[in-house]
Amino acid sequence: MRPFAYIKAADVESAVQAAAEPGTKFLGGGTNLVDLMREGVERPDTLVDVTGLPYDTVEELPGGGLRIGALVRNSTLAADRRVRTRYPVLSQALLSGASGQLRNMATVGGNLLQRTCCPYFYDTASACNKREPGSGCDALEGFNRGCAILGVSEHCIATHPSDMCVALAALDAVVEVRGVGGTRRVPLADLHRLPGDTPQVETTLEAGDLITAVELPPVPAAARSRYRKVRDRASYAFALVSVAAALEVRDGTVTDVRLALGGVAPKPWRAREAERILLGGLADEAAFRRAAEAELAAAAVRQGNAFKTTLAVSTIVATLRELNEEAAR
């Protein structure tokens, strides 16, 4: 472990100012950052502990939305009655991630900034453009079973690991960010970046930016929503493919649909093309499959992860089918 300085932030202004210095990282639950420090992947000079800041509550917003503080623990958010009732897809996504012990420590803000689970990113002896820009990407021709098939580039095919973020993407969440220039709001869809030729730049955040909250707008369709995660084992495993879906059907016609995918892209993947095809059309299995296949048409697969295309289509169809059957009851 490299030596590093530790600062306990007394208020948000001092936290932001301290973190604006090069080589500084915020410390919340530490469930991802501390692991990366142990592996020598992250090497901060200074940690700014923000756990004492007043961002650990879930509050009502006018119109029925929720404001979720960045320091709310994942287990607390998953158990919140308002989340379970209005946004069950979010509660289910949180409960499918990590283990109970980790969920008790992990924070919402930290979950948004999880780094990839690609094994080459964690292996400092391997080439990884995300960890060491310009070194190459061993995953391209290596063990890439868990890697991305949408939004990839020739420089990186790593997947985004978060379950929570997939649900937030489907819900049109907005991230509140406090920086040296003040507070701004960033749609979740714009927070994470695709790799392009700079895979080491994972978000649109700037030096010193601190995530302070996530806001969920009122989404009536989300009351009937679901998170479906396909993985190698039932617990403590990252998604091969996951689907966050909300579906509203009236007289057999889709009047609202929200779809986001996990395990298939370098960022939470909002399935806009599938939504476009489904909205206003018949709610039946043929339509679900047609929409899913259109969304996956742009997949760029490798030998090890080609199965994800079929798996993603099947998972989308199964999730929408279950929601449609539930609506019909």
Side-chain angles (χ1 to χ4, degrees), residues 259 273-275 277-278 286-296 316 320:
L259 277 174
E273 178 64 11
E275 292 177 349
I277 292 171
L278 288 167
F288 300 157
R289 184 166 297 279
R290 185 167 59 253
E293 290 175 347
E295 188 65 45
L296 272 296
I316 292 169
L320 292 174

Side-chain angles (χ1 to χ4, degrees), residues 144 146-152 157-159 263-266 300-302 305 308:
N144 46 39
C147 291
I149 58 175
L150 295 171
V152 298
I157 57 173
T159 53
V264 296
V301 302
R302 297 274 165 176
N305 64 6
K308 283 194 176 188

Side-chain angles (χ1 to χ4, degrees), residues 17 34 53 61 84 130 145 162 178 198 268 280 283 287 309 320 328:
Q17 290 296 329
V34 173
L53 301 183
L61 289 174
R84 290 187 289 112
K130 187 179 288 291
R145 181 171 179 270
S162 171
R178 179 69 173 268
T198 55
T309 303
L320 292 174

